[in-house]
Amino acid sequence: MKILKMRLENFQGVKELEIDPQGESSAIYGDNGTGKSTVYNAFTWLMYGKPSTTEKNYTPKTTGSHNLHHSVEMTVELADGSEMALKKDYHEVYKTIKGNPQPVLSGHTTDYSMDGVPVSETQFKKNLLEIYHDEELAKMLTSYNYFLENMKVADRRKILLQVCGDADFNEVIESQGDLLRELPEMLRKPGKAENYYTVDEYRAIAAKEKNLTDKELDDIPQRIDEAEKAKPDVTGLDAQTIDNTMAEIKEKRRELESQRAARESGATTTIRQQIAELESQRAAGEAKHARAEAEANKGAYERISNLRYMASTIETDIMHTEQDKREHENEIQRLNRRREQLLAEWNEENEKEWTGSEICPTCGQQLPAEQIEEAKENFNTAKAQNLETINKRGMTECSSGMIKKEQDEIEALDARLVELKEKKAETAKNLATAEKAVLATTDYKDTAEYRQFTEQIESLQEKLKDARAAAAEADNVLSGQLKELDARLEAEQSKKAQLAMIKKQDERITQLEKKEEELAAKYEQLQKGIYLCEQFVKAKTKLLDEKINSRFKTLRFRLFIEQQNGGIADDCEALVPCKTGLVPFKSANNAARINAGLELIDTLAEYYGVELPVFVDNAESVTKLTQTQTQVIRLVVSEPDKTLRFERGDK
């Protein structure tokens, strides 16, 4: 679309102005404050009802003016060569009020016409949208700096990638040869045949898993050390030697028992068997105790953790319960206040007495008795109704039942608090006990079980002693031999339990070392995945830079920023050429910014297939404009021109 001619009337201080570019690039000259920017505002107001600036509550009216028509007329040439005449007329509406001879301002209205035919606002906008598609696009194509200065970075990136094309995933992979060949498989979602994470999704997941894996790796040496410390000293011990020794002891013991059985009665035999069984149980208990001691600390920390979590949960429950209690107490206070209010209202209403006049206000005579009585009856009926209404409000808003319900809730909460505080105290006690138990070890001989076995054995031994009272001195020698063998057997069983503990801890250490190797391999793979993602982003960055910047002659875009941690952040900074290289758009001089904006508009107009006139303010700073296919209306500051002056053509 190109402007053929344009006319302003009473528009923002411009009483009348007509220009006829005839589709050519032209210039409007004027001193500061003469209304150059007003021409651009008139164009945007006509096209989509807003000024070229961000001004809110914009009006085309000249300040202090009344009863005038504020209009913009414009004839344009469309892409197909046809012409279209547009007009928008904003004016005041007056109405006559009864009793006032002068019309009064009642508001404003806007009239629309196309090719001289009046149309509705809806039809006017609809027809224009067929030309420029949407307001945002119109701003980008008519203002050289709107895209580069006013739009958000994310929006600029989105449009550039849409216009110039994004970098395809496979294209990026292929651009790096074998470097990124493993990345597609890394991005595959578990259990999904053809479903993949994005590079950003995978990088975030991998970074989180790497941190967790690193923490697990750091924890394993400590756990291995704990297992090493749990191993008893078994220097000089051999499992086979112990088994052989125990077999010899047991065989000798059987021989001695056979000798004793030959001399002793059945009663003593039974007692000896009971003693042997208890001694065997005690030895087994000692072995079990040794194993339990090795596992004690493992469960202690878990119990401490559980108790701490339980304590935290109870404390939270107490806090919430106390909060609930306060809320119910506040509600009771509110209900009581409301009851007092309604009671005061009721008392006030109840104390009211009929105060009507018994004298007719018209004739001054005494009213009939029945009329006075009717008035009193009506007063009392109304009073009774008001009292009933207050009572009903009391029943629905603050009844005693409602207060009782809140009190019941408070009692339940008090009971709950008592229960929770008891649990809190119990949990604290258990926690203290658990914490004291950490790393604490006890000798089996100091346990109640050992003492119980020993007491039972000693009791039986006393019985056996009494039964053997009549035995010969040789039997005493035999008993001593048996005790010696039992002591030796107990010692060998203890050694065997120590070896079993060593084996269990070695197995635990082997498991931990294997897990450490697996975690190290996983950590390395995650590290590699993160590295490949970073290389992918850098490769994509390079491709996008090349693809987008190839669409422009001099203008360049920086789409990414390399951060201090080595990562890449999205950006969309326009870079403008200068004598020393490239500078950011906002740092360039005005001429460079204008030419960069025109170059961008050419590319956008070609992509969207929409051509609109470009308005360039402060164009006096540009000695040579970039060649463009669009119509350029230059707004030039010219001190000698105290009124606006129009020149057709690009001079």
Side-chain angles (χ1 to χ4, degrees):
M1 184 184 82
K2 294 181 179 180
I3 300 175
L4 298 178
K5 60 182 179 180
M6 185 176 181
R7 185 174 183 276
L8 282 63
E9 183 178 350
N10 300 316
F11 194 92
Q12 278 279 296
V14 178
K15 183 173 180 60
E16 187 175 3
L17 175 67
E18 186 169 340
I19 62 174
D20 59 338
Q22 296 299 318
E24 299 179 16
S25 293
S26 303
I28 298 175
Y29 298 86
D31 196 6
N32 290 325
T34 55
K36 298 183 301 297
S37 298
T38 301
V39 179
Y40 186 17
N41 285 338
F43 174 82
T44 59
W45 180 77
L46 175 66
M47 296 296 289
Y48 46 83
K50 297 179 182 178
S52 61
T53 61
T54 57
E55 179 182 349
K56 295 182 179 180
N57 302 319
Y58 180 80
T59 174
K61 293 178 66 174
T62 301
T63 303
S65 65
H66 293 285
N67 208 18
L68 295 174
H69 285 257
H70 313 276
S71 65
V72 179
E73 299 179 62
M74 185 169 67
T75 303
V76 298
E77 181 183 325
L78 303 179
D80 61 0
S82 63
E83 296 184 6
M84 177 185 290
L86 307 170
K87 184 176 182 180
K88 192 171 178 180
D89 185 3
Y90 181 81
H91 55 91
E92 297 171 341
V93 177
Y94 290 83
K95 68 177 181 180
T96 302
I97 300 176
K98 186 177 181 180
N100 190 345
Q102 297 295 328
V104 178
L105 178 64
S106 63
H108 299 79
T109 187
T110 306
D111 298 327
Y112 301 85
S113 70
M114 305 188 77
D115 294 328
V117 180
V119 296
S120 66
E121 179 184 3
T122 301
Q123 189 62 45
F124 188 85
K125 291 180 177 179
K126 180 181 178 182
N127 291 347
L128 287 179
L129 282 173
E130 292 179 358
I131 299 174
Y132 64 79
H133 298 335
D134 62 63
E135 182 181 325
E136 193 74 1
L137 179 60
K139 291 178 180 179
M140 288 191 289
L141 298 181
T142 60
S143 173
Y144 75 90
N145 62 346
Y146 180 79
F147 181 92
L148 298 172
E149 288 189 18
N150 299 340
M151 293 184 68
K152 296 179 180 179
V153 170
D155 294 336
R156 293 204 299 267
R157 281 181 57 87
K158 181 179 179 181
I159 291 173
L160 282 178
L161 293 176
Q162 179 183 347
V163 173
C164 303
D166 202 349
D168 179 73
F169 177 82
N170 292 328
E171 183 183 0
V172 178
I173 296 293
E174 292 173 3
S175 70
Q176 298 303 297
D178 291 338
L179 176 63
L180 302 177
R181 69 179 184 277
E182 298 180 50
L183 184 59
E185 189 60 31
M186 289 181 174
L187 300 182
R188 189 188 299 275
K189 292 184 179 181
K192 304 289 185 179
E194 295 297 330
N195 201 355
Y196 297 85
Y197 294 112
T198 66
V199 171
D200 289 339
E201 288 173 343
Y202 177 79
R203 183 165 54 177
I205 294 170
K208 183 178 180 179
E209 288 191 14
K210 190 186 80 169
N211 291 334
L212 294 174
T213 303
D214 190 37
K215 291 179 180 178
E216 287 190 80
L217 281 169
D218 289 342
D219 187 51
I220 284 181
Q222 180 180 352
R223 295 165 68 184
I224 291 175
D225 184 62
E226 291 173 354
E228 286 287 354
K229 291 180 179 178
K231 293 163 63 175
D233 185 9
V234 293
T235 304
L237 298 184
D238 178 71
Q240 187 62 49
T241 302
I242 293 171
D243 287 340
N244 292 338
T245 301
M246 289 178 65
E248 292 174 1
I249 293 171
K250 289 178 181 179
E251 181 61 29
K252 289 181 180 179
R253 199 177 189 289
R254 281 194 294 270
E255 291 176 359
L256 293 175
E257 288 289 353
S258 297
Q259 295 175 21
R260 174 180 287 178
R263 293 191 301 268
E264 295 180 349
S265 66
T268 60
T269 301
T270 302
I271 295 173
R272 289 199 310 273
Q273 290 174 343
Q274 291 174 345
I275 293 173
E277 179 62 23
L278 288 172
E279 289 175 337
S280 177
Q281 292 178 14
R282 187 173 63 181
E286 183 173 8
K288 182 180 179 181
H289 179 79
R291 292 192 300 270
E293 288 287 352
E295 296 290 326
N297 284 341
K298 180 180 179 182
Y301 288 118
E302 183 177 352
R303 175 167 173 75
I304 290 171
S305 177
N306 292 337
L307 288 169
R308 287 175 177 172
Y309 176 78
M310 186 183 298
S312 176
T313 302
I314 293 171
E315 190 65 38
T316 301
D317 288 346
I318 291 174
M319 181 183 68
H320 289 164
T321 304
E322 289 176 340
Q323 182 178 350
D324 291 344
K325 180 182 175 182
R326 287 193 297 271
E327 290 176 356
H328 287 291
E329 290 173 342
N330 292 336
E331 180 62 13
I332 289 175
Q333 293 177 2
R334 188 192 69 78
L335 291 171
N336 285 327
R337 287 196 301 270
R338 185 57 179 156
R339 281 177 68 88
E340 292 174 0
Q341 291 173 356
L342 292 175
L343 181 60
E345 290 181 18
W346 193 94
N347 290 331
E348 182 182 355
E349 183 68 25
N350 191 50
E351 292 173 358
K352 290 181 179 179
E353 299 291 340
W354 185 77
T355 58
S357 176
E358 297 181 0
I359 304 299
C360 177
T362 304
C363 64
Q365 297 182 6
Q366 180 77 21
L367 293 169
E370 64 270 13
Q371 191 172 343
I372 296 172
E373 189 62 32
E374 183 182 357
K376 290 181 179 180
E377 185 178 344
N378 291 338
F379 171 81
N380 291 328
T381 300
K383 178 180 176 180
Q385 289 175 346
N386 292 336
L387 291 173
E388 178 64 22
T389 299
I390 294 172
N391 284 333
K392 288 181 179 179
R393 289 169 62 189
M395 293 300 294
T396 58
E397 296 179 16
C398 54
S399 67
S400 58
M402 295 170 69
I403 295 174
K404 179 63 169 58
K405 183 179 179 182
E406 296 296 327
Q407 291 172 338
D408 291 344
E409 290 289 344
I410 291 173
E411 291 178 2
L413 290 171
D414 283 335
R416 174 63 175 164
L417 283 172
V418 171
E419 181 184 348
L420 288 172
K421 289 177 180 179
E422 290 176 352
K423 287 184 179 180
K424 179 182 177 181
E426 183 182 358
T427 303
K429 180 180 178 181
N430 293 337
L431 179 60
T433 302
E435 289 175 340
K436 290 179 181 178
V438 174
L439 298 178
T441 58
T442 57
D443 191 280
Y444 181 67
K445 293 181 179 179
D446 295 329
T447 64
E449 182 181 88
Y450 181 87
R451 287 193 298 272
Q452 183 180 359
F453 278 129
T454 302
E455 289 173 359
Q456 291 176 348
I457 291 170
E458 289 175 352
S459 176
L460 290 171
Q461 286 174 341
E462 286 296 321
K463 291 181 181 180
L464 185 62
K465 183 178 179 181
D466 293 338
R468 291 174 173 174
E473 292 185 0
D475 192 54
N476 293 331
V477 175
L478 186 61
S479 296
Q481 292 175 335
L482 285 171
K483 284 184 179 180
E484 182 183 353
L485 290 174
D486 288 340
R488 289 176 58 193
L489 184 61
E490 184 176 335
E492 294 303 315
Q493 288 173 332
S494 179
K495 293 177 183 178
K496 193 169 183 179
Q498 290 180 328
L499 289 176
M501 178 58 65
I502 290 289
K503 182 180 179 182
K504 184 174 182 179
Q505 294 303 322
D506 284 340
E507 290 175 350
R508 175 61 176 163
I509 291 170
T510 300
Q511 292 174 355
L512 290 170
E513 289 174 344
K514 183 179 179 182
K515 186 175 182 180
E516 187 176 31
E517 292 178 1
E518 294 172 350
L519 289 173
K522 180 181 179 181
Y523 184 90
E524 184 179 351
Q525 184 68 6
L526 291 169
Q527 187 86 342
K528 183 178 182 180
I530 294 171
Y531 170 77
L532 293 180
C533 286
E534 292 173 349
Q535 295 304 308
F536 177 91
V537 172
K538 290 180 180 179
K540 183 177 180 179
T541 300
K542 183 179 179 182
L543 281 178
L544 283 177
D545 280 342
E546 293 173 354
K547 183 174 290 190
I548 289 176
N549 289 322
S550 67
R551 296 292 299 271
F552 302 98
K553 296 178 181 178
T554 62
L555 181 62
R556 294 292 180 267
F557 283 93
R558 184 181 66 203
L559 298 177
F560 302 91
I561 299 176
E562 188 166 354
Q563 301 174 313
Q564 292 183 352
N565 60 5
I568 301 295
D570 289 346
D571 192 27
C572 192
E573 179 73 57
L575 304 174
V576 178
C578 66
K579 292 181 179 180
T580 58
L582 296 171
V583 296
F585 178 83
K586 293 183 179 179
S587 301
N589 59 49
N590 196 46
R593 293 199 305 270
I594 290 172
N595 282 328
L598 292 175
E599 183 179 342
L600 173 68
I601 287 174
D602 253 7
T603 300
L604 294 178
E606 181 183 357
Y607 175 78
Y608 289 107
V610 177
E611 182 181 328
L612 296 175
V614 183
F615 288 79
V616 179
D617 206 358
N618 299 316
E620 69 280 352
S621 61
V622 189
T623 57
K624 185 178 181 181
L625 286 177
T626 293
Q627 292 295 319
T628 178
Q629 300 297 318
T630 60
Q631 182 185 29
V632 179
I633 306 297
R634 295 180 297 121
L635 307 176
V636 183
V637 176
S638 174
E639 186 177 358
D641 293 293
K642 302 304 180 182
T643 58
L644 295 179
R645 175 170 58 87
F646 170 77
E647 286 188 5
R648 187 190 305 158
D650 188 8
K651 299 180 180 180

